[in-house]
Amino acid sequence: MIIRDVELVKVARTPGDYPPSLKGEVAFVGRSNVGKSSLLNALFNRKVAFVSKTPGKTRSINFYLVNSKYYFVDLPGYGYAKVSKKERMLWKRLVEDYFKNRWSLQMVFLLVDGRIPPQDSDFMMIEWMKSLNIPFTIVLTKMDKVKMSERAKKLEEHRKVFSRYGEYTIIPTSSVTGEGISELLDLISTLLKEN
Ligand SMILES: Nc1nc2c(ncn2[C@@H]2O[C@H](COP(=O)(O)OP(=O)(O)O)[C@@H](O)[C@H]2O)c(=O)[nH]1
Ligand SMILES: [Mg+2]
């Protein structure tokens, strides 16, 4: 898939406030600071998503219109400790509505930090998506930070942990080296049936 143009067309802060569905849609979710904005920028090959040093408080669903045809959707991050109960509730309400009502959603890419074992919040996310029948693919981020000597072991550990939930594709990526970016785009392309 060649991304010719990208435009942030909608920032949804309340449930249901989405743009009309298009031909295809994929979404990205993960713990805050997992590298979601960086990955989106790597996929888009330009800086459209905001990358932060400190975990942000993005409480919106951002719709990126790609090639005037598809949506790449940036879901708000989870799992950041310094977030109030009320904020968590708002996050859940927003994402839940999107998962339950967005019929055009084809795949969620669940971003997990490739350097460390998955966290409880990641497992909760997986269980939640499974219970809602949301198809998802696991994307390991920040793989450039994993030593070559530990790489195979780390990948095997992740594969083992996630196999408890079913057979899922796991794609190791790095926004720094560009690892996995073209594979991810190919997969998205297949999903969206674009050649
Ligand atoms: N080494 C490395 N750092 C990364 C990578 N992706 C993101 N980061 C860093 O991780 C931090 C959070 O990134 P960001 O994309 O804002 O994460 P988000 O909160 O999930 O959107 C920033 O300091 C990034 O520079 C990566 O692939 N490799
Ligand atoms: Mg971000």
Side-chain angles (χ1 to χ4, degrees):
M1 175 178 208
I2 293 166
I3 294 186
R4 289 182 304 273
D5 49 80
V6 183
E7 192 189 345
L8 176 61
V9 290
K10 182 77 193 182
V11 175
R13 296 183 194 283
T14 50
D17 185 25
Y18 318 132
S21 287
L22 290 171
K23 206 168 176 284
E25 184 164 318
V26 293
F28 300 81
V29 72
R31 280 191 301 126
S32 44
N33 228 34
V34 73
K36 186 160 49 66
S37 298
S38 304
L39 185 85
L40 284 169
N41 287 335
L43 290 171
F44 295 153
N45 196 25
R46 69 208 80 186
K47 293 195 168 91
V48 281
F50 184 70
V51 176
S52 59
K53 279 273 170 250
T54 48
K57 279 199 175 183
T58 327
R59 283 290 168 274
S60 59
I61 298 180
N62 298 343
F63 290 81
Y64 292 93
L65 178 63
V66 174
N67 294 351
S68 312
K69 218 178 186 176
Y70 304 118
Y71 285 123
F72 282 32
V73 178
D74 184 1
L75 297 172
Y78 58 79
Y80 183 50
K82 290 178 198 162
V83 163
S84 67
K85 261 214 169 101
K86 190 177 167 224
E87 282 277 307
R88 271 177 227 276
M89 289 254 306
L90 289 172
W91 178 90
K92 186 159 188 260
R93 218 173 64 186
L94 189 62
V95 179
E96 186 163 49
D97 181 85
Y98 175 79
F99 280 164
K100 286 188 172 167
N101 299 317
R102 192 66 168 173
W103 57 268
S104 48
L105 174 64
Q106 285 164 281
M107 179 63 73
V108 172
F109 292 96
L110 173 65
L111 276 56
V112 177
D113 195 326
R115 302 169 302 178
I116 54 170
Q119 308 291 294
D120 285 346
S121 54
D122 295 321
F123 295 129
M124 281 170 66
M125 193 70 209
I126 289 178
E127 275 161 21
W128 193 36
M129 287 195 290
K130 279 189 75 108
S131 74
L132 293 173
N133 282 318
I134 302 289
F136 64 92
T137 294
I138 292 156
V139 174
L140 301 180
T141 62
K142 309 190 185 184
M143 287 305 291
D144 58 287
K145 290 284 190 189
V146 176
K147 284 199 200 99
M148 265 306 158
S149 56
E150 288 178 7
R151 195 186 155 88
K153 198 180 99 205
K154 276 258 154 64
L155 287 175
E156 176 56 19
E157 276 169 14
H158 275 104
R159 197 198 53 74
K160 213 166 168 181
V161 167
F162 292 123
S163 69
R164 275 195 266 149
Y165 297 93
E167 285 232 344
Y168 292 98
T169 308
I170 301 177
I171 306 172
T173 67
S174 163
S175 305
V176 171
T177 63
E179 176 186 352
I181 301 303
S182 61
E183 287 89 333
L184 195 48
L185 279 173
D186 284 349
L187 180 63
I188 293 171
S189 183
T190 307
L191 282 166
L192 300 175
K193 293 189 176 58
E194 171 169 310
N195 299 301

Coordinates of all heavy atoms in Angstrom, one line a residue, residues 58-110:
T58 N -4.5 12.2 26.0 CA -5.3 12.2 24.8 C -6.6 11.5 25.1 O -6.5 10.3 25.4 CB -4.6 11.6 23.6 OG1 -3.3 11.9 23.7 CG2 -5.2 12.1 22.3
R59 N -7.7 12.1 25.1 CA -8.9 11.5 25.4 C -9.8 11.7 24.1 O -10.9 12.1 24.2 CB -9.6 12.0 26.6 CG -9.1 11.5 27.9 CD -9.4 10.0 28.1 NE -8.6 9.4 29.2 CZ -7.3 9.0 29.0 NH1 -6.8 9.0 27.8 NH2 -6.7 8.4 30.0
S60 N -9.3 11.3 23.0 CA -10.1 11.5 21.8 C -9.8 10.3 20.8 O -8.7 9.7 21.0 CB -9.7 12.8 21.1 OG -8.4 12.9 20.8
I61 N -10.7 10.1 19.9 CA -10.4 9.1 18.9 C -10.2 10.0 17.6 O -11.0 10.8 17.2 CB -11.7 8.2 18.7 CG1 -12.0 7.4 19.9 CG2 -11.5 7.3 17.5 CD1 -13.2 6.5 19.8
N62 N -8.9 9.8 17.1 CA -8.5 10.6 15.9 C -8.6 9.8 14.6 O -8.1 8.7 14.5 CB -7.1 11.1 16.1 CG -7.0 12.0 17.3 OD1 -7.9 12.5 17.9 ND2 -5.7 12.1 17.8
F63 N -9.4 10.3 13.7 CA -9.6 9.7 12.4 C -8.7 10.3 11.4 O -8.8 11.5 11.0 CB -11.1 9.8 12.0 CG -12.0 9.1 12.8 CD1 -12.5 9.5 14.0 CD2 -12.5 7.8 12.4 CE1 -13.4 8.8 14.8 CE2 -13.4 7.1 13.1 CZ -13.9 7.6 14.3
Y64 N -7.8 9.5 10.8 CA -6.9 9.9 9.8 C -7.5 9.4 8.4 O -7.6 8.1 8.3 CB -5.5 9.4 10.0 CG -4.8 10.1 11.1 CD1 -4.8 9.5 12.4 CD2 -4.1 11.3 11.0 CE1 -4.2 10.1 13.5 CE2 -3.5 12.0 12.0 CZ -3.6 11.4 13.3 OH -3.0 12.0 14.3
L65 N -7.8 10.3 7.5 CA -8.2 9.9 6.2 C -7.0 9.6 5.3 O -6.2 10.5 5.2 CB -9.1 11.0 5.6 CG -9.6 10.7 4.2 CD1 -10.6 9.5 4.2 CD2 -10.4 12.0 3.7
V66 N -6.9 8.4 4.8 CA -5.8 7.9 4.0 C -6.2 7.7 2.6 O -7.2 7.0 2.3 CB -5.2 6.6 4.6 CG1 -4.0 6.1 3.7 CG2 -4.6 6.9 6.0
N67 N -5.5 8.3 1.7 CA -5.8 8.2 0.2 C -7.2 8.5 -0.1 O -7.8 7.9 -1.0 CB -5.3 6.8 -0.3 CG -3.9 6.6 -0.2 OD1 -3.1 7.5 0.1 ND2 -3.4 5.4 -0.4
S68 N -7.8 9.4 0.7 CA -9.2 9.8 0.5 C -10.2 8.6 0.5 O -11.3 8.7 0.0 CB -9.4 10.5 -0.9 OG -8.4 11.5 -1.0
K69 N -9.8 7.5 1.1 CA -10.5 6.3 1.0 C -10.7 5.5 2.3 O -11.8 4.8 2.5 CB -9.8 5.4 0.0 CG -10.6 4.6 -1.0 CD -9.6 3.9 -1.8 CE -9.8 3.2 -2.9 NZ -8.6 2.7 -3.6
Y70 N -9.7 5.5 3.1 CA -9.7 4.7 4.3 C -9.5 5.5 5.5 O -8.9 6.6 5.5 CB -8.6 3.6 4.2 CG -8.6 2.8 3.0 CD1 -7.5 2.8 2.1 CD2 -9.7 1.9 2.8 CE1 -7.6 2.0 1.0 CE2 -9.7 1.1 1.6 CZ -8.6 1.2 0.8 OH -8.6 0.4 -0.4
Y71 N -9.9 5.0 6.7 CA -9.6 5.6 7.9 C -8.6 4.7 8.7 O -8.7 3.5 8.8 CB -10.8 5.8 8.8 CG -11.7 6.9 8.4 CD1 -13.1 6.6 8.1 CD2 -11.3 8.2 8.2 CE1 -13.9 7.6 7.7 CE2 -12.1 9.2 7.8 CZ -13.5 8.9 7.5 OH -14.3 9.9 7.1
F72 N -7.5 5.4 9.2 CA -6.6 4.8 10.2 C -7.0 5.6 11.4 O -6.9 6.8 11.5 CB -5.2 5.1 9.8 CG -4.6 4.2 8.8 CD1 -5.3 3.7 7.7 CD2 -3.2 3.9 8.8 CE1 -4.8 2.9 6.7 CE2 -2.6 3.1 7.8 CZ -3.4 2.6 6.8
V73 N -7.4 4.8 12.4 CA -8.0 5.5 13.6 C -7.1 5.3 14.8 O -6.7 4.2 15.2 CB -9.4 4.9 13.9 CG1 -10.0 5.4 15.2 CG2 -10.3 5.1 12.7
D74 N -6.8 6.4 15.4 CA -5.9 6.4 16.6 C -6.7 6.5 17.9 O -7.4 7.5 18.1 CB -5.0 7.7 16.5 CG -4.0 7.8 17.6 OD1 -3.9 6.9 18.4 OD2 -3.2 8.9 17.6
L75 N -6.8 5.4 18.6 CA -7.6 5.3 19.8 C -6.8 5.8 21.0 O -5.6 5.7 21.0 CB -8.1 3.9 20.0 CG -8.9 3.3 19.0 CD1 -9.2 1.8 19.2 CD2 -10.3 4.0 18.9
P76 N -7.5 6.4 22.0 CA -6.7 6.9 23.1 C -6.0 5.8 23.9 O -6.5 4.7 24.0 CB -7.8 7.6 24.0 CG -9.1 7.0 23.6 CD -8.9 6.6 22.1
G77 N -4.8 6.1 24.5 CA -4.0 5.2 25.2 C -4.6 4.8 26.5 O -5.5 5.5 27.1
Y78 N -4.2 3.7 27.1 CA -4.7 3.2 28.4 C -3.5 2.9 29.3 O -2.4 2.9 28.9 CB -5.6 2.0 28.2 CG -4.9 0.8 27.5 CD1 -4.1 0.0 28.2 CD2 -5.2 0.6 26.2 CE1 -3.5 -1.1 27.6 CE2 -4.5 -0.5 25.6 CZ -3.7 -1.3 26.3 OH -3.1 -2.4 25.7
G79 N -3.8 2.6 30.5 CA -2.8 2.0 31.4 C -1.9 3.0 32.1 O -0.9 2.6 32.7
Y80 N -2.2 4.3 31.9 CA -1.3 5.3 32.6 C -1.8 5.5 34.0 O -2.9 5.8 34.3 CB -1.3 6.6 31.8 CG -0.4 7.6 32.4 CD1 1.0 7.3 32.7 CD2 -0.8 8.9 32.6 CE1 1.8 8.3 33.2 CE2 0.0 9.9 33.1 CZ 1.3 9.6 33.4 OH 2.2 10.5 33.9
A81 N -0.9 5.3 35.0 CA -1.2 5.2 36.4 C -1.9 6.5 36.9 O -2.9 6.5 37.6 CB 0.0 4.9 37.3
K82 N -1.3 7.7 36.4 CA -1.8 8.9 37.0 C -3.0 9.5 36.3 O -3.1 10.6 35.8 CB -0.7 10.0 36.9 CG 0.5 9.7 37.9 CD 1.6 10.8 37.7 CE 2.8 10.3 38.3 NZ 4.0 11.0 37.8
V83 N -4.0 8.6 36.2 CA -5.3 9.0 35.5 C -6.4 8.8 36.5 O -6.5 7.7 37.1 CB -5.5 8.2 34.2 CG1 -6.9 8.3 33.7 CG2 -4.5 8.8 33.1
S84 N -7.3 9.7 36.7 CA -8.4 9.6 37.7 C -9.4 8.6 37.2 O -9.5 8.2 36.1 CB -9.1 10.9 37.8 OG -9.8 11.3 36.6
K85 N -10.2 8.1 38.2 CA -11.2 7.1 38.0 C -12.2 7.7 36.9 O -12.7 6.9 36.0 CB -12.0 6.9 39.3 CG -11.6 5.6 40.0 CD -12.8 5.0 40.7 CE -12.4 3.6 41.1 NZ -12.2 3.5 42.6
K86 N -12.5 8.9 37.0 CA -13.4 9.6 36.1 C -12.9 9.5 34.7 O -13.6 9.2 33.7 CB -13.7 11.0 36.5 CG -14.8 11.6 35.8 CD -15.2 13.0 36.3 CE -16.1 13.7 35.2 NZ -15.7 15.0 34.9
E87 N -11.6 9.9 34.5 CA -10.9 9.8 33.2 C -11.0 8.4 32.6 O -11.2 8.2 31.4 CB -9.5 10.2 33.4 CG -9.3 11.7 33.5 CD -9.3 12.4 32.1 OE1 -8.5 12.0 31.2 OE2 -10.1 13.3 31.9
R88 N -10.8 7.4 33.5 CA -10.8 6.0 33.0 C -12.2 5.6 32.5 O -12.3 4.9 31.5 CB -10.4 5.1 34.2 CG -9.0 4.8 34.3 CD -8.7 4.0 35.5 NE -7.6 4.5 36.3 CZ -6.3 4.3 36.0 NH1 -6.0 3.5 35.0 NH2 -5.3 4.8 36.7
M89 N -13.2 6.1 33.3 CA -14.6 5.8 32.9 C -14.9 6.5 31.5 O -15.5 5.8 30.7 CB -15.5 6.5 33.9 CG -15.6 5.8 35.2 SD -17.1 4.8 35.4 CE -18.3 6.1 35.1
L90 N -14.4 7.7 31.3 CA -14.6 8.4 30.1 C -13.9 7.7 28.9 O -14.5 7.5 27.8 CB -14.1 9.8 30.1 CG -15.0 10.8 31.0 CD1 -14.3 12.1 31.2 CD2 -16.4 10.9 30.5
W91 N -12.7 7.2 29.2 CA -12.0 6.4 28.2 C -12.8 5.2 27.8 O -13.0 4.9 26.6 CB -10.6 6.0 28.8 CG -9.8 5.2 27.8 CD1 -8.9 5.6 26.9 CD2 -9.8 3.7 27.7 NE1 -8.3 4.6 26.2 CE2 -8.9 3.4 26.7 CE3 -10.5 2.7 28.3 CZ2 -8.7 2.1 26.2 CZ3 -10.3 1.4 27.9 CH2 -9.4 1.1 26.9
K92 N -13.2 4.5 28.8 CA -13.9 3.2 28.5 C -15.2 3.5 27.7 O -15.5 2.7 26.8 CB -14.3 2.5 29.8 CG -14.9 1.1 29.6 CD -14.7 0.2 30.7 CE -15.2 -1.2 30.3 NZ -16.5 -1.6 30.7
R93 N -15.9 4.5 28.1 CA -17.2 4.8 27.4 C -17.0 5.1 26.0 O -17.7 4.7 25.1 CB -17.9 6.0 28.1 CG -19.4 5.8 28.2 CD -20.0 6.9 29.0 NE -19.8 8.2 28.5 CZ -20.2 9.4 29.0 NH1 -20.7 9.3 30.2 NH2 -20.0 10.5 28.5
L94 N -15.9 5.9 25.7 CA -15.6 6.3 24.4 C -15.2 5.2 23.5 O -15.7 4.9 22.4 CB -14.5 7.4 24.4 CG -14.1 8.1 23.2 CD1 -15.3 9.0 22.6 CD2 -12.9 9.1 23.4
V95 N -14.2 4.4 24.0 CA -13.7 3.3 23.2 C -14.7 2.2 23.0 O -14.9 1.6 22.0 CB -12.4 2.7 23.8 CG1 -11.8 1.5 23.0 CG2 -11.3 3.8 23.9
E96 N -15.5 1.9 24.1 CA -16.5 0.9 24.0 C -17.6 1.2 23.0 O -18.0 0.3 22.2 CB -17.2 0.7 25.4 CG -18.2 -0.4 25.4 CD -18.5 -0.8 26.9 OE1 -18.8 0.1 27.7 OE2 -18.4 -2.0 27.2
D97 N -18.0 2.4 22.9 CA -18.9 2.8 21.9 C -18.4 2.6 20.5 O -19.0 2.1 19.6 CB -19.3 4.3 22.0 CG -20.4 4.7 21.0 OD1 -21.5 4.5 21.2 OD2 -19.9 5.2 19.9
Y98 N -17.1 3.0 20.3 CA -16.5 2.8 19.0 C -16.4 1.3 18.7 O -16.8 0.9 17.6 CB -15.1 3.4 19.1 CG -14.3 3.2 17.8 CD1 -14.5 3.9 16.7 CD2 -13.3 2.1 17.7 CE1 -13.8 3.7 15.5 CE2 -12.6 1.9 16.6 CZ -12.9 2.7 15.5 OH -12.2 2.4 14.3
F99 N -16.0 0.5 19.6 CA -15.9 -1.0 19.3 C -17.3 -1.6 19.0 O -17.4 -2.4 18.2 CB -15.3 -1.7 20.5 CG -13.8 -1.6 20.6 CD1 -13.1 -1.9 21.8 CD2 -13.0 -1.2 19.5 CE1 -11.8 -1.9 21.9 CE2 -11.6 -1.2 19.6 CZ -11.0 -1.5 20.8
K100 N -18.3 -1.1 19.8 CA -19.6 -1.8 19.6 C -20.3 -1.3 18.4 O -21.1 -2.0 17.8 CB -20.4 -1.5 20.9 CG -20.0 -2.4 22.0 CD -21.0 -2.2 23.2 CE -20.6 -3.2 24.3 NZ -21.4 -2.9 25.5
N101 N -20.1 0.0 18.0 CA -21.0 0.5 17.0 C -20.3 0.8 15.6 O -21.0 1.1 14.7 CB -21.6 1.8 17.5 CG -22.5 1.5 18.7 OD1 -23.2 0.5 18.7 ND2 -22.4 2.4 19.7
R102 N -19.0 0.8 15.6 CA -18.4 1.1 14.3 C -18.3 -0.1 13.4 O -17.3 -0.8 13.4 CB -17.0 1.7 14.6 CG -16.3 2.3 13.4 CD -17.0 3.6 13.0 NE -16.2 4.3 12.0 CZ -16.7 5.4 11.4 NH1 -17.9 5.8 11.6 NH2 -15.9 6.0 10.5
W103 N -19.3 -0.3 12.7 CA -19.4 -1.6 11.9 C -18.3 -1.7 10.8 O -17.9 -2.7 10.4 CB -20.8 -1.7 11.2 CG -21.1 -0.5 10.3 CD1 -21.8 0.6 10.7 CD2 -20.8 -0.3 8.9 NE1 -21.9 1.5 9.7 CE2 -21.3 0.9 8.6 CE3 -20.1 -1.1 8.0 CZ2 -21.1 1.4 7.3 CZ3 -19.9 -0.6 6.7 CH2 -20.4 0.7 6.4
S104 N -17.8 -0.5 10.4 CA -16.7 -0.5 9.3 C -15.3 -0.9 9.8 O -14.4 -1.1 9.0 CB -16.7 0.8 8.6 OG -16.6 1.9 9.5
L105 N -15.2 -1.0 11.1 CA -13.9 -1.4 11.7 C -13.5 -2.8 11.3 O -14.2 -3.8 11.6 CB -13.9 -1.3 13.2 CG -12.7 -1.8 14.0 CD1 -11.5 -0.9 13.6 CD2 -12.9 -1.7 15.5
Q106 N -12.3 -3.0 10.7 CA -11.9 -4.3 10.2 C -10.9 -5.0 11.0 O -10.8 -6.2 11.1 CB -11.4 -4.2 8.8 CG -12.5 -3.9 7.8 CD -12.0 -3.4 6.4 OE1 -11.7 -2.3 6.3 NE2 -11.9 -4.3 5.5
M107 N -10.0 -4.2 11.7 CA -8.9 -4.7 12.5 C -8.4 -3.7 13.5 O -8.3 -2.5 13.1 CB -7.8 -5.2 11.5 CG -6.6 -5.8 12.2 SD -6.9 -7.3 13.0 CE -7.1 -8.4 11.7
V108 N -8.1 -4.2 14.7 CA -7.5 -3.4 15.6 C -6.0 -3.8 15.8 O -5.8 -5.0 15.9 CB -8.1 -3.4 17.0 CG1 -7.3 -2.7 18.1 CG2 -9.6 -2.8 16.9
F109 N -5.1 -2.9 15.7 CA -3.7 -3.3 15.9 C -3.4 -2.9 17.4 O -3.5 -1.7 17.8 CB -2.8 -2.5 14.9 CG -2.9 -3.1 13.6 CD1 -3.8 -2.4 12.7 CD2 -2.3 -4.2 13.2 CE1 -4.0 -2.9 11.4 CE2 -2.5 -4.8 11.9 CZ -3.4 -4.1 11.0
L110 N -3.1 -3.9 18.2 CA -2.8 -3.7 19.6 C -1.3 -3.6 19.7 O -0.6 -4.5 19.5 CB -3.4 -4.9 20.4 CG -3.0 -4.9 21.9 CD1 -3.6 -3.7 22.6 CD2 -3.4 -6.2 22.6

